[in-house]
Amino acid sequence: MQALDEYDKKLLQFMQENNKMTAQELGDLVNLSSSAVQRRLTRLRENKIIEADVSIIAPSVLGLTVTCIVDIILADGNSKALEKFKASMRKCNEVMQCYFVTGTYDFVIIVNAENMQHYESFAKKWLMDNPNVKHFYTHVIMDKVKVGYNLTI
């Protein structure tokens, strides 16, 4: 993979702030032609430096007003059990993010639910009724103090 030069870094910084800018607008900001910007963005996407171009939707618009962070300890940590749990989390619509982590817990997941009853149903189906989930601990988000994906470039 080719190293990032100053133009790439500037483009990435602007793209993190607003990925809807046109190649012409970006070119004006970094002093490149729009075709040079398009070639660079294509390369950055092909090399998975830009992983995705997405719109982040407010969960509340869809009636999802409860967000929880859940710490999970599995009873069995062999590779088959881990892969089975990962696969189950990938299938679950309520799970927005799932991380296999080091330390006290095996997994940390972020869950969006309509209300606490919805979360309870989720927890019963995906955690309590899963024989490999030994313990789970739920943190209900009271206030999103900082949420972001921008990296310092």
Side-chain angles (χ1 to χ4, degrees):
M1 181 171 39
Q2 183 180 349
L4 298 177
D5 65 16
E6 290 306 310
Y7 289 111
D8 290 336
K9 291 176 183 178
K10 287 178 184 176
L11 285 171
L12 289 169
Q13 188 62 48
F14 287 119
M15 288 292 289
Q16 285 187 113
E17 294 168 16
N18 178 4
N19 74 348
K20 291 182 72 175
M21 283 197 281
T22 66
Q24 183 63 52
E25 292 169 324
L26 287 165
D28 291 344
L29 291 169
V30 299
N31 295 317
L32 287 173
S33 68
S34 61
S35 59
V37 167
Q38 289 172 333
R39 282 192 301 275
R40 285 174 177 270
L41 291 176
T42 298
R43 178 178 45 81
L44 292 169
R45 287 182 177 106
E46 287 173 352
N47 291 330
K48 301 294 183 212
I49 294 166
I50 296 175
E51 291 184 356
D53 291 290
V54 299
S55 295
I56 299 171
I57 300 167
S60 60
V61 170
L62 301 175
L64 302 169
T65 61
V66 174
T67 301
C68 300
I69 298 173
V70 185
D71 304 318
I72 300 166
I73 299 172
L74 298 182
D76 187 358
N78 69 51
S79 62
K80 284 186 180 183
L82 291 172
E83 290 308 316
K84 186 175 180 180
F85 185 80
K86 289 177 185 180
S88 72
M89 292 295 98
R90 287 183 190 109
K91 293 177 189 173
C92 181
N93 291 333
E94 290 89 351
V95 174
M96 298 294 100
Q97 298 175 44
C98 177
Y99 301 98
F100 177 44
V101 298
T102 62
T104 304
Y105 309 109
D106 295 309
F107 288 89
V108 175
I109 62 174
I110 299 175
V111 175
N112 282 334
E114 294 171 10
N115 50 43
M116 287 308 294
Q117 292 79 19
H118 181 197
Y119 176 74
E120 181 181 8
S121 295
F122 157 82
K124 284 178 181 176
K125 178 179 179 181
W126 296 94
L127 304 175
M128 291 177 201
D129 291 346
N130 183 330
N132 196 31
V133 174
K134 182 177 180 179
H135 295 293
F136 68 95
Y137 306 91
T138 302
H139 310 273
V140 178
I141 304 300
M142 294 179 4
D143 182 21
K144 292 181 182 181
V145 177
K146 180 179 179 181
V147 177
Y149 296 98
N150 287 12
L151 300 172
T152 302
I153 299 176

mmCIF file of all heavy atoms in Angstrom, residues 5 7 9 16 54 69 81 85 92 115 117 134 138:
data_model
loop_
_atom_site.group_PDB
_atom_site.id
_atom_site.type_symbol
_atom_site.label_atom_id
_atom_site.label_comp_id
_atom_site.label_asym_id
_atom_site.label_seq_id
_atom_site.Cartn_x
_atom_site.Cartn_y
_atom_site.Cartn_z
ATOM 1 N N ASP A 5 0.373 10.842 1.345
ATOM 2 C CA ASP A 5 1.100 12.106 1.241
ATOM 3 C C ASP A 5 0.236 13.221 1.834
ATOM 4 O O ASP A 5 -0.858 12.974 2.341
ATOM 5 C CB ASP A 5 1.511 12.389 -0.206
ATOM 6 C CG ASP A 5 0.347 12.604 -1.162
ATOM 7 O OD1 ASP A 5 -0.795 12.845 -0.705
ATOM 8 O OD2 ASP A 5 0.574 12.546 -2.385
ATOM 9 N N TYR A 7 -1.431 15.595 0.434
ATOM 10 C CA TYR A 7 -2.718 15.774 -0.241
ATOM 11 C C TYR A 7 -3.738 14.747 0.263
ATOM 12 O O TYR A 7 -4.894 15.083 0.541
ATOM 13 C CB TYR A 7 -2.576 15.652 -1.763
ATOM 14 C CG TYR A 7 -1.854 16.812 -2.400
ATOM 15 C CD1 TYR A 7 -0.595 16.645 -2.958
ATOM 16 C CD2 TYR A 7 -2.437 18.081 -2.454
ATOM 17 C CE1 TYR A 7 0.072 17.712 -3.554
ATOM 18 C CE2 TYR A 7 -1.781 19.150 -3.046
ATOM 19 C CZ TYR A 7 -0.525 18.959 -3.587
ATOM 20 O OH TYR A 7 0.127 20.016 -4.165
ATOM 21 N N LYS A 9 -3.747 13.208 3.110
ATOM 22 C CA LYS A 9 -4.095 13.538 4.498
ATOM 23 C C LYS A 9 -5.106 14.680 4.557
ATOM 24 O O LYS A 9 -6.066 14.625 5.325
ATOM 25 C CB LYS A 9 -2.840 13.893 5.295
ATOM 26 C CG LYS A 9 -1.937 12.700 5.538
ATOM 27 C CD LYS A 9 -0.656 13.112 6.251
ATOM 28 C CE LYS A 9 0.273 11.925 6.412
ATOM 29 N NZ LYS A 9 1.540 12.324 7.060
ATOM 30 N N GLN A 16 -13.717 13.429 6.357
ATOM 31 C CA GLN A 16 -14.266 13.078 7.668
ATOM 32 C C GLN A 16 -15.264 14.124 8.152
ATOM 33 O O GLN A 16 -16.221 13.805 8.832
ATOM 34 C CB GLN A 16 -13.153 12.962 8.718
ATOM 35 C CG GLN A 16 -12.326 11.718 8.603
ATOM 36 C CD GLN A 16 -11.373 11.592 9.770
ATOM 37 O OE1 GLN A 16 -11.531 10.682 10.566
ATOM 38 N NE2 GLN A 16 -10.413 12.467 9.877
ATOM 39 N N VAL A 54 -21.010 6.608 4.585
ATOM 40 C CA VAL A 54 -22.326 6.299 5.147
ATOM 41 C C VAL A 54 -23.004 7.543 5.684
ATOM 42 O O VAL A 54 -22.363 8.566 5.926
ATOM 43 C CB VAL A 54 -22.217 5.264 6.299
ATOM 44 C CG1 VAL A 54 -21.620 3.952 5.800
ATOM 45 C CG2 VAL A 54 -21.402 5.817 7.441
ATOM 46 N N ILE A 69 -24.678 -0.243 26.692
ATOM 47 C CA ILE A 69 -23.390 -0.899 26.500
ATOM 48 C C ILE A 69 -23.437 -2.134 27.387
ATOM 49 O O ILE A 69 -23.750 -2.041 28.578
ATOM 50 C CB ILE A 69 -22.222 0.012 26.874
ATOM 51 C CG1 ILE A 69 -22.216 1.248 25.974
ATOM 52 C CG2 ILE A 69 -20.891 -0.746 26.774
ATOM 53 C CD1 ILE A 69 -21.207 2.301 26.362
ATOM 54 N N ALA A 81 -16.888 -21.784 20.159
ATOM 55 C CA ALA A 81 -17.864 -21.029 20.947
ATOM 56 C C ALA A 81 -17.768 -19.538 20.641
ATOM 57 O O ALA A 81 -18.792 -18.858 20.529
ATOM 58 C CB ALA A 81 -17.650 -21.285 22.438
ATOM 59 N N PHE A 85 -20.759 -17.269 18.946
ATOM 60 C CA PHE A 85 -21.287 -16.054 19.563
ATOM 61 C C PHE A 85 -21.153 -14.863 18.609
ATOM 62 O O PHE A 85 -22.092 -14.076 18.451
ATOM 63 C CB PHE A 85 -20.581 -15.751 20.891
ATOM 64 C CG PHE A 85 -21.185 -14.576 21.600
ATOM 65 C CD1 PHE A 85 -22.358 -14.721 22.335
ATOM 66 C CD2 PHE A 85 -20.604 -13.317 21.516
ATOM 67 C CE1 PHE A 85 -22.939 -13.635 22.972
ATOM 68 C CE2 PHE A 85 -21.178 -12.224 22.146
ATOM 69 C CZ PHE A 85 -22.348 -12.383 22.875
ATOM 70 N N CYS A 92 -28.077 -10.153 14.893
ATOM 71 C CA CYS A 92 -29.005 -9.449 15.770
ATOM 72 C C CYS A 92 -29.148 -7.980 15.371
ATOM 73 O O CYS A 92 -28.172 -7.221 15.423
ATOM 74 C CB CYS A 92 -28.521 -9.566 17.217
ATOM 75 S SG CYS A 92 -29.619 -8.767 18.363
ATOM 76 N N ASN A 115 -37.283 0.757 24.075
ATOM 77 C CA ASN A 115 -37.529 1.070 25.491
ATOM 78 C C ASN A 115 -36.930 -0.062 26.307
ATOM 79 O O ASN A 115 -36.343 -1.006 25.757
ATOM 80 C CB ASN A 115 -39.028 1.233 25.758
ATOM 81 C CG ASN A 115 -39.837 0.070 25.197
ATOM 82 O OD1 ASN A 115 -39.460 -1.095 25.333
ATOM 83 N ND2 ASN A 115 -40.950 0.391 24.548
ATOM 84 N N GLN A 117 -38.455 -2.433 27.922
ATOM 85 C CA GLN A 117 -39.103 -3.710 27.650
ATOM 86 C C GLN A 117 -38.487 -4.366 26.404
ATOM 87 O O GLN A 117 -38.289 -5.575 26.367
ATOM 88 C CB GLN A 117 -40.619 -3.533 27.478
ATOM 89 C CG GLN A 117 -41.351 -3.149 28.740
ATOM 90 C CD GLN A 117 -41.215 -1.656 29.088
ATOM 91 O OE1 GLN A 117 -40.872 -0.824 28.248
ATOM 92 N NE2 GLN A 117 -41.463 -1.319 30.344
ATOM 93 N N LYS A 134 -22.228 -16.610 30.322
ATOM 94 C CA LYS A 134 -22.112 -16.855 31.761
ATOM 95 C C LYS A 134 -22.690 -15.690 32.551
ATOM 96 O O LYS A 134 -23.479 -15.867 33.470
ATOM 97 C CB LYS A 134 -20.645 -17.082 32.124
ATOM 98 C CG LYS A 134 -20.388 -17.401 33.577
ATOM 99 C CD LYS A 134 -18.914 -17.676 33.795
ATOM 100 C CE LYS A 134 -18.636 -18.002 35.247
ATOM 101 N NZ LYS A 134 -17.204 -18.291 35.446
ATOM 102 N N THR A 138 -25.176 -4.675 32.059
ATOM 103 C CA THR A 138 -25.737 -3.657 31.175
ATOM 104 C C THR A 138 -25.523 -2.266 31.751
ATOM 105 O O THR A 138 -25.812 -2.023 32.923
ATOM 106 C CB THR A 138 -27.246 -3.892 30.974
ATOM 107 O OG1 THR A 138 -27.439 -5.198 30.445
ATOM 108 C CG2 THR A 138 -27.841 -2.853 30.036
#
